[in-house]
Each structure stands twice: as C-alpha cells, then as structure tokens.
Amino acid sequence: MYFSVFTFIYLCTWYFINGYIHVFFFFMLIGCFLLMQTQCMSFVPCFPHRYTLYTRTRLGYMYYKRQMRKAREHYPAGHSTAQPVEFNGIKIIPISVLSDNYSYLIVDTASSVAVVVDPADPQSVQAVLEEEGVMLEAILCTHKHWDHSGGNKGLKRLHSSCRVYGNAADNIPGLTHPLSHRDSVNIGRMTFKALFTPGHTVGHMIYLLDGRAVGAPSSLFSGDLVFLSGCGRMFEGSATTMLSSLDTVGSLSDDTLLWPGHEYAEDNLLFAAEVEPHNAARENKYQWVLQQRGQKLCTSPSTIGEEKEYNPFLRSHSAELHLALGLQQFQDEDWTRFRARVLEELRKRKDLYNRR
C-alpha cells in the first residue's frame, strides 16, 4: 500500500510539472478510487491518507488553489455578508473567503496599520486593505492548514515588511516570527497574546486581542479550535490535549468576543440539540442563527459566556450531557480524564453526524 501511495504521488507530480494536465487529473481520479477501494472497503478509515496528502505534499496546496478558484466563481462577493465592528478606533473586519472560512483584518485606525488573521485568499484580503487604505504589518496564522495559511506568502510578496507569526511546530508557510505560549505581538495600539492550543494540529495557536487599552471587550481569534457551538477535529492530538486547549478558552472572561475560522453555526447548533435537547440557550441562539443565515449574514462574533451555555465542547462538565451520551465517571477515574472521555465521545458523534 505504501508503494502504491508514493507511486501515485510521484506520477501525479511528474505529469503536472511536465504539463500533462489531462494525464495528471486521470491519475488523480484513479488514485482516489484506489485509495477508497483499498482502505474503505477493508473497513480501515481512508481519511489519514487524504490528510497526509493534504498537509504534507504539493497536492494539498494544489487542492487548496482549486477550491479557492471555485469559491471565487461561486461566491464573487463572499459566502456571507459581514459588518465591521469598531471599538474606539480598533476595527475588526470579517472577510468571508473560500466556501465557509473567515479571515479577519484588524485595523488601528489612528495609525492606519493592520493585522490579518488566517489570510486564506490573499486577493480578498488585499482588496479590503486597499479599500481601508491601511498598511499590513503582520499576519497572525493559527495553523498550517492551507485554508488558513494559503495566502501568507502571496501577501508577504505584496508587503515585504510584513511579519508572519505562528508556532514553529506547525510548518506555517512564510513564517518569520515563531511564537510560544503567551508571547505578545504589538502592532500600533493593538496587543495580541498568542496562546498555544494543540489538538487540531500539533502547533495550533489562538490570538487574544486585549481590549482594555481601548475600553472594549477582548477578542479571541480562534482558528479551528472553537467555533460557534463547535470545536475542530482532533487531527493531531488526543482528547486530553484538546480538552486542555478548550479549557484555555473557557478560562477567558465571559465578555470576550469569539471570532472563529469558519461559518459552521447552523450545523453545529443542530448537533448540539441532539446531545442537549432541553438547552434553552441553544434554542434561542439557533433561532437567531436561522435568521442570520437566511440572509447569508455572518454569525460572528458570539461571546465566551454564550458559548459556555450552549457549546457542548465547552460543557464536558455538564451532567445533562453525560446522561445524553450514556457516560458516567468510573470510581477510580479522575475528573479531567472523565471529561476527556466525554469530549472524545462528543467528537466521534459529531464526526458521524457530519457524514449523514
């Protein structure tokens, strides 16, 4: 199997480099079919192979570029409409990119400098930079996946002095300034604290914009760690690791604004109803989200306080959730280990729910 996978990669790359595009796509189709047959038919999950191709080979980048072209065709104005939020001269602009991602441009209007979080589509980000008339000083990248990091190098070429921040463990494209847990990034009047939150990837980081300097709530740019009523898949970490990262989010003040990396709100809240059907806060939020999505409006931001009320992945302590999942703490099991087991079961059920 290893021979066939690497032969497949070699042939695809050779034909693509040498211009035989039609043969390249033929091998792509045959290769995907063979992977599905040899892996899925033997009841061994085929996803790990696809994930490796996506994250560790040129094919992943090519797939991202194809998805970006398709999204520009299907959503020329973006998949969602979002309104900027401004606090005493600090302006947060959600930018809808690809089919459901968000990048965020954060501007200090007093000094006309800006930071962008996860610039998946450099063309879309550059358009907003020009519209705002500001200079890009830094890219804050949450993790290596192409739908979050794919625009780093393109923007860096346009803005040569721009710094690219992220965690070195994640092999982030164009990284110039590696960050560790609780490092600070200062741009204009803006101070971001980097928080190391592995689990989705081995080097995932989130960024907390301190609102105190401008008399505003803080803002958390959470990448693929936490979404409205959801969390990211545990591609490169255990449930215990992911729980620790989620607890980092849960420790933040309730008025912290949450700006996630994807528009998953409606689907996430429907899943939450299956595991906590009597949660009134969830139902109220769901009705609001339905109104927003009916008009293709962005559902960000929520707050950490809200998420603690209805996001099941931040509620591993909930007795109602334990009952719904059919889980109970073993006599010799410590509380953290039990909560990790709850999180693991939740994530498995969400993955199955996504495949329906």
Side-chain angles (χ1 to χ4, degrees):
M1 183 59 211
Y2 287 109
F3 174 77
S4 61
V5 168
F6 286 107
T7 301
F8 160 63
I9 294 171
Y10 172 80
L11 289 172
C12 285
T13 305
W14 191 91
Y15 281 114
F16 182 81
I17 290 172
N18 287 277
Y20 296 95
I21 302 298
H22 60 293
V23 183
F24 164 77
F25 281 112
F26 173 77
F27 271 101
M28 285 282 284
L29 289 171
I30 295 298
C32 289
F33 174 78
L34 289 173
L35 281 174
M36 289 174 66
Q37 292 297 312
T38 56
Q39 296 301 308
C40 297
M41 293 299 287
S42 62
F43 300 99
V44 177
C46 57
F47 183 81
H49 293 288
R50 298 200 305 269
Y51 183 73
T52 298
L53 289 173
Y54 177 70
T55 57
R56 299 186 183 181
T57 74
R58 181 73 179 174
L59 293 177
Y61 179 71
M62 290 158 54
Y63 174 78
Y64 146 74
K65 295 283 281 188
R66 178 175 176 271
Q67 294 302 99
M68 184 165 59
R69 287 193 297 270
K70 287 173 60 178
R72 287 173 180 172
E73 292 173 5
H74 295 162
Y75 309 107
H79 58 76
S80 302
T81 301
Q83 296 300 318
V85 174
E86 187 167 348
F87 301 103
N88 298 323
I90 302 299
K91 190 175 185 180
I92 300 173
I93 307 171
I95 306 171
S96 70
V97 294
L98 303 181
S99 60
D100 54 33
N101 282 73
Y102 287 114
S103 301
Y104 295 98
L105 190 70
I106 307 99
V107 178
D108 178 358
T109 59
S111 56
S112 295
V113 295
V115 172
V116 67
V117 177
D118 289 353
D121 184 344
Q123 178 177 299
S124 297
V125 173
Q126 181 61 25
V128 179
L129 283 165
E130 293 175 2
E131 183 180 333
E132 294 293 316
V134 295
M135 179 181 296
L136 183 64
E137 292 280 337
I139 294 169
L140 303 180
C141 195
T142 60
H143 63 292
K144 65 190 172 191
H145 291 162
W146 292 113
D147 63 325
H148 293 258
S149 67
N152 290 0
K153 290 184 177 180
L155 283 174
K156 177 69 174 169
R157 283 193 292 270
L158 294 173
H159 306 271
S160 58
S161 63
C162 174
R163 302 182 295 278
V164 181
Y165 293 91
N167 189 271
D170 234 24
N171 193 28
I172 288 170
L175 182 68
T176 62
H177 288 67
L179 293 171
S180 299
H181 185 54
R182 303 188 72 84
D183 281 351
S184 291
V185 177
N186 298 297
I187 306 291
R189 294 180 299 148
M190 302 178 290
T191 298
F192 296 86
K193 182 182 291 184
L195 301 172
F196 182 54
T197 52
H200 182 65
T201 65
V202 70
H204 194 285
M205 301 202 84
I206 57 178
Y207 299 96
L208 182 67
L209 173 61
D210 189 350
R212 293 173 297 180
V214 293
S218 294
S219 284
L220 179 68
F221 301 92
S222 61
D224 279 359
L225 174 62
V226 177
F227 310 117
L228 193 156
S229 195
C231 84
R233 293 179 67 175
M234 296 180 285
F235 291 132
E236 300 178 9
S238 66
T240 302
T241 299
M242 193 68 161
L243 178 64
S244 177
S245 295
L246 291 171
D247 282 348
T248 296
V249 173
S251 70
L252 301 176
S253 62
D254 285 353
D255 65 346
T256 302
L257 302 178
L258 178 68
W259 304 91
H262 289 269
E263 181 56 72
Y264 291 160
E266 185 174 347
D267 188 62
N268 284 346
L269 286 163
L270 283 172
F271 170 74
E274 296 203 353
V275 293
E276 285 193 297
H278 306 299
N279 188 320
R282 184 218 62 86
E283 180 60 27
N284 291 336
K285 190 68 175 184
Y286 178 63
Q287 294 303 321
W288 177 83
V289 165
L290 283 181
Q291 294 177 5
Q292 292 291 104
R293 297 310 299 156
Q295 303 173 70
K296 298 299 181 185
L297 298 177
C298 173
T299 58
S300 299
S302 60
T303 69
I304 298 301
E306 287 182 293
E307 294 299 318
K308 290 177 183 176
E309 292 181 347
Y310 55 65
N311 187 334
F313 297 95
L314 293 179
R315 293 174 55 77
S316 56
H317 59 278
S318 166
E320 180 184 2
L321 190 58
H322 303 163
L323 185 63
L325 297 175
L327 297 176
Q328 58 183 354
Q329 187 176 6
F330 299 135
Q331 188 172 7
D332 60 347
E333 185 177 34
D334 69 57
W335 181 237
T336 300
R337 177 61 199 136
F338 174 58
R339 290 177 58 227
R341 194 156 56 87
V342 171
L343 176 61
E344 187 171 29
E345 179 64 21
L346 265 177
R347 190 61 256 180
K348 286 179 182 176
R349 293 196 183 199
K350 182 61 165 65
D351 292 344
L352 290 172
Y353 177 85
N354 289 343
R355 297 188 191 117
R356 289 182 187 176

